[in-house]
Structures are given as structure tokens and as C-alpha cells.
Amino acid sequence: MSTPRVVLLLSGSLRAGSSNETVLRTAQAVTPPGVRTVFYEGLAGLPPFNPDDDAEPLPEPVAALRSAIDAADALLVCTPEYAGTLPGAFKNLLDWTVGGTEICDKPVAWVSAAAPGRGQGAEATLRTVLGYTGAVVVEAACVRVAVGRERVGADGALTDDGARERIAEVLTLLASYGS
């Protein structure tokens, strides 16, 4: 039996029950065979990025983040857009990845849960920052999924079969990238 490919799920939102968390909880619910998803929950605990602290020994939350990224085969991001760009807390997470090599050459994709006509600023900033980290954006796996509250089940995941299938396809694409 082969080792499952690990996809780290990164939410850009600190709000419990956000649309972004819903997308990633759905990813956990529809994880295809041969893939294991891990939900990163340390966003709120990361210290503000300071280049002086980006040295050994790293602050423990930063070391844990980098370790989680290093242990993953791919990353799936779902982030809101605030004021036309990434939320500050998520940009802070990404800033902590620039000085490390864990994300370099790692396949990354995002699912946008933004309403139609929104979210492009966050996506553009995400693409720019990921370029600095050396991550490989898997374009075919970067998709939009509508998240209406009426489509969320008691488990916090989407109930819409089409959205669930699309998210499962994203995971399959990410997990199979380069193999």
C-alpha cells in the first residue's frame, strides 16, 4: 500500500464558520483515496513577521507552520479578500514562508469562495507572494466555488454535490501534480 499524498489546508480567515473554512471542511469530507488532508489551525497564533526573528531558533508557532508545510506534498488555500487584497493575518503567514525553503517547488492551489465579481485582488496578491516563495501554482486546480449558507450542512461542509465534486477534483489534481 502506498503512502497517501498529504495536502495541507490553509484558511486565510480567522472567523469560525467562514465560507473559507466551509470550503476546506468540504475538502476534508471529500478527500479522495490516496490523499490525506491536514487542516492548519495555527493562523491566529503566529507572531507578527519580523525579519529579526526569522532565524534559528524560530518562534515555536512559526516552526510548527514550516514543519506542517514541509510535511505536506501540496497546499490548498482558501482565503477571503479584505480591502482588495489578502487579510493581514494570512499575509503574515505567507511572510513567514518567504525566508524558509519548505514551500519552494511545492504544488499550491486555491479555491475562491468569494461572491461573483469579488476576490480577484486576493488571488492576485496570493499569486505574487507565492511567486516569491518558489511555490508552483497549479492553475488547473485554482477554482471558484459558490458558498451560500443554505448549502452548508451541520458538519460545516457544503452539501451541494457539484461543489463537492469540484473540490475533490482540486485535491486529486494537487495530489497527483508531478507524480
Side-chain angles (χ1 to χ4, degrees):
M1 185 157 116
S2 65
T3 304
R5 304 277 293 168
V6 176
V7 178
L8 183 63
L9 306 175
L10 298 170
S11 175
S13 178
L14 291 171
R15 188 170 63 83
S18 71
S19 298
N20 305 282
E21 183 178 318
T22 295
V23 166
L24 296 177
R25 295 292 177 207
T26 305
Q28 288 182 306
V30 300
T31 301
V35 178
R36 183 170 67 88
T37 55
V38 175
F39 197 100
Y40 174 75
E41 298 193 40
L43 180 63
L46 289 170
F49 177 73
N50 179 343
D52 292 337
D53 294 334
D54 196 3
E56 295 298 332
L58 290 168
E60 192 283 321
V62 176
L65 167 67
R66 288 188 179 174
S67 178
I69 292 171
D70 193 43
D73 296 299
L75 309 176
L76 179 60
V77 173
C78 191
T79 184
E81 178 178 274
Y82 290 156
T85 190
L86 294 172
F90 192 67
K91 175 63 168 66
N92 183 57
L93 177 149
L94 293 173
D95 287 345
W96 279 113
T97 69
V98 173
T101 59
E102 298 82 8
I103 200 170
C104 188
D105 297 325
K106 198 155 294 220
V108 179
W110 56 82
V111 175
S112 175
R118 313 277 312 262
Q120 293 87 349
E123 290 175 25
T125 303
L126 186 57
R127 183 181 304 282
T128 297
V129 176
L130 289 173
Y132 281 99
T133 68
V136 178
V137 175
V138 181
E139 298 293 341
C142 295
V143 301
R144 293 181 159 265
V145 173
V147 178
R149 289 287 141 214
E150 72 283 355
R151 299 170 65 187
V152 180
D155 62 353
L158 290 167
T159 57
D160 178 81
D161 289 338
R164 292 171 70 88
E165 288 170 16
R166 194 159 193 196
I167 293 168
E169 289 169 10
V170 165
L171 289 170
T172 298
L173 285 168
L174 271 176
S176 64
Y177 186 85
S179 55

